[in-house]
Amino acid sequence: MNKSKLNRSLLTDSISYLYLTILAVIAAFPLLWIILSAVKEKGEMITNPTALFPKKLTLDNFRVVIEQLHFGSNMLNSVIVAGCTTIVSVIIAALGAYGVVRFFPRFGKVMTRVLITTYMFPPILLAVPYSILVGKAGLVNSRIGLVITYLSFSVPYAIWLLVGFFKTVPLEMEEAAYVDGANRLQVFIQIVMPIVTPGVIAVAIYTFINAWNEFLYSLILINSSNKMTVGIILKSLEGQEVMDWGVMMAASAMVVIPSVIFFMLIQKKIAGGLAAGSIK
Amino acid sequence: MKAKKILSLVLSLLMLLSVFTACGTQAGEPNDTATAPASSAPAQSEGSSEPAKLSGDIIFWHSFTQGPRMETLQSAADAFMKQNPGVKITIETFSWSDFYTKWTTGLASGNVPDMSTAQPGHVSEMINAEAILPLDDLINSIGRERFYEAPLTEMTADGSTYAVPLYSHAQVMWYRKDLLQKYNLQVPTTWDELYEAASIINKGEGGAVFGCSVPMGTNDMMATRYLNFYVRSAGETLITKDGKANLTSQAAIDGINYWVKMYKNNSPSDSINYNVLDQATLYYQGKNAFDFNSAFHISGVEANRPDLMDYIDCAPMPTIKKGDAQTGYETSNIPMVIWKNSKHPEISKAFIEYLYQPENYVPFLLSVPVGMLPAIKEVVNDATFNSNATVQKFNNALNVISNAVGYGTAIGMEYGPRVEAGLITSQGVIESMFQDIILNGTDVQKAAKAAEDRLNELFEAAKE
Amino acid sequence: MNKHKKLLSKITAFSFVLPAILVVGLLLLYPVASSIFYSFTSKNLIKTTYKFVGLKNYIKVLSDSTFISSFLTSLKWTIFSLIGQVVVGFTAALALEHIRRGKGFYRTILIIPWAFPSIVIAMSWKWILNGVYGFVPIALVKLGIFSEIPQFFTTKEFVFATLLFINIWFGAPLIMVNVLSALQTIPKDQYEAARIDGATSLQQFRYITLPHISVVVGLLVVLRTIWVFNNFDLIYLITGGGPANLTQTVPIYAYNVGWGQKQLGVASAVTVLLLVFLLVICAIYFRILNKLEKEGPQ
């Protein structure tokens, strides 16, 4: 009895490991291949496509990306835009979510439904009105214009996630603070925010990722190469006069490696945060 | 206690604000100069050569996204700004494929540059949308007689010329001398000979080199271009004189069948999705025996496979029957335009005129030697131009292409500039038709008729 | 005095939600309203004048066979992508939960795809599966699995499946991570109790695991459905909807009409139809979710 149970768990164990190993290879291969392709010499990628490891290591492709394409400034743009979007939308969303939970609870459910609905406006539908709106505001080709359009998808999503967290804040604690003479903003900042911090961090990370990965609006709204985000610069590499897969892979590696490291560092936070919020 | 809380709140708000302004200031556009006095309008009075005082900022979009071409234009702009301290020229570059999205969306949102390069087909769309200025004064000031006639005609509508030709090139047939020799072949002169030669090489190389890749990606105009070669060499046109699409003429049907056959037998399967760059890269890598392109191929091969430089050359376009006149050419005259929204057309005009001065114009042309043929006649005799090593090495190519430039027009512009010519190349209709025939096995006649109807429908919609 | 205070408190309460209302109103309602407006006009992207055409654009779209086929492709794309993502993400989470050693390692590797921006997804897979120089196609030939280089992006048999595979590759980690953390919220003693009662693992899964995570998975499915259905980047960047429109979804169709053909009025009609469709789908989803929430734990 005991032995067969052991055998069975050994079997399910090995199946699990086998399955996970296959998935892991598929999941990691593109990253690996990007890096390996980026450090190969020009001819090798074409003449010997199935060679896993480069005959000779070269950093030439990276040199082109950094020195000729000034990729660093585009990375910085992406960080600035995604960072500003995150800060602004988390603040707006936190205020809004708290306000709804505390002061307009009756609208809570309706509002979350409305927000989900806004989440499904096809971005392609928004692109033309945005370019007109941003154009009228004189913000075309500026990072601030981009941040404003990004609020359209980040704020509703963030509110929706945060409402769940704010519902977990015990009312008694707030009431005690009011008795002490605190006003609403103070209660919000000093009592409520600390309680929901894990959720806010999770939401901030989600927002950052979505903004970092955004493509369509930045393609349409940004013209100067020194203001472009990394995604658009990568796209423009495809339209060069001479296609150079090595350079493209080097640039991709430079975009994706920091993202992967970031994900690995924060993976526990995002998962825990989202589940805790959406379950409530 | 309370004060402290308020203070902390204020501080955090300040931090937020500073973040805002941080993105704000870096993003700021120098739009404030719009109010600067446009002190004079130079280049408008004919023959006045004394430098007039210019001041203002202009934005210049072009699609030379990399390398020496971009650098020569940038250094010309730098020199111009040095001569005119009040002027600031901001250059922004996009690849050809993004360019179309950029200016169309830009027009919708009121965000177009002051001046830009353009595709010949786009010029008629720009004129139709009333987006660009007539440039007769500028052309007269540079000297209308110095330009070749055909490119100017291509950019003239209702008696006004709306664009200045910057350079020209024509599509010719590229081949590989080493491969022809290896299989003991002559340079093909008819379409049938080309098919034969491509098949022999394709078979012989067993996948290492393709005979003749046929590109059909819907995000580009390549299949339209290939079909146009064939149709033009039969003396037909893809757009009729009265502005209707014509894909059902005998020549067009034959052409479709020809390229489908070529694709199935001598082309990588991937080429069904190829755009101009994918296609050219195949030749640059030495993996395509016959290709159709301009002399941009020279610098492409030089960058990728310098070892092949001695084995590439080009020849006139094949014909239907042996000894026919070679008429299957497509000429591209790449022009510059000035946008109506511009607050400082006078600066753009002065800068364009400046670009045509020999000390700027010749280095620009030589940044892709032979690839860009001069739009101004006397450059052909320019000493610097002719002493360039690549120009000398590829003298045959230069002759073949110079000759071709004279015969061809842009696709669909045989009867002058028209919006239809822009649409036939920008909507991927012919490319979709080819894909449909190949992947779904649709009957050629039926597919051609459907694509023709689709194009005519688009032509109608554009006129509304 | 008291009334005054009450008003003040109303105002502060309102000022909490005001920024959010402004963002949602300005950035979402305005564009949607303008799209609905344009959908009844002959608006051209680059021309300033237009006229009202009534329902003409809608009739044109609904009678266009390309639109119908794009819509069907969109449905296929969404349904198969979601099934794939949920199945892979779910099973991976269960396997991860099952194993004892190497949990952190596998988990870290498996979330890598999630970190890829769409343009990098497109470029890397286009390169790996390239029909002339690609690693996988050539390796498959060398291994003897295919006799000639398989064409993943250019043949009718493969292209759609290839895109699906890439979308599942990208989307499964998100499902996995969320299912995993939902699994961890299940009190372990419930399993203990079930085991003492003699429940099989399948029964444990059915009566303990599923009810606990159904709400999370349900919400995720709602969000992913919308996301996948609306997704433009991935297909646009990999195949652009081709070849022969085999991978053309509704957003790509709208883009081609609005930008390529510059018929903004028609493109607006397409997107309004898309919106209506998604609203209906979401209404159904919310019905189901409501039911789940009532049945769920707590």
Side-chain angles (χ1 to χ4, degrees), chain B residues 98 100-101 103-105 107-108 125-126 128-129 210 218 263 268-274 278 281-282 285 287 423 426-427 432 435-436 439-440 454 457-458 461-464, chain C residues 42-47 51 56 60 64 66 129-133 151-156 159 236 238-246 255-257 259-264:
Chain B
D98 291 339
Y100 193 68
T101 314
W103 74 257
T104 49
T105 322
L107 265 186
E125 285 193 70
M126 291 167 181
N128 184 251
F210 296 97
T218 45
Y263 170 82
S269 170
D270 255 20
S271 71
I272 201 166
N273 286 335
Y274 275 7
D278 299 315
T281 303
L282 206 64
Q285 302 288 2
K287 292 181 91 67
L423 292 168
S426 64
Q427 305 303 318
S432 281
Q435 295 180 348
D436 185 40
L439 290 181
N440 299 328
R454 179 99 194 89
E457 199 181 299
L458 288 172
K463 283 182 198 143
E464 267 170 21
Chain C
S42 66
K43 174 79 177 138
N44 180 299
L45 182 66
I46 59 173
K47 289 182 187 169
K51 54 181 190 287
K56 201 177 140 205
K60 193 176 170 190
D64 181 357
T66 322
L129 301 178
N130 189 296
V132 179
Y133 328 97
Q151 298 295 329
F152 289 106
F153 293 118
T154 59
T155 51
K156 224 175 163 176
V159 64
Y236 174 72
I238 298 176
T239 64
N245 294 343
L246 284 172
Y255 180 83
N256 287 341
V257 175
W259 270 265
Q261 299 162 21
K262 297 186 280 302
Q263 298 173 10
L264 197 59

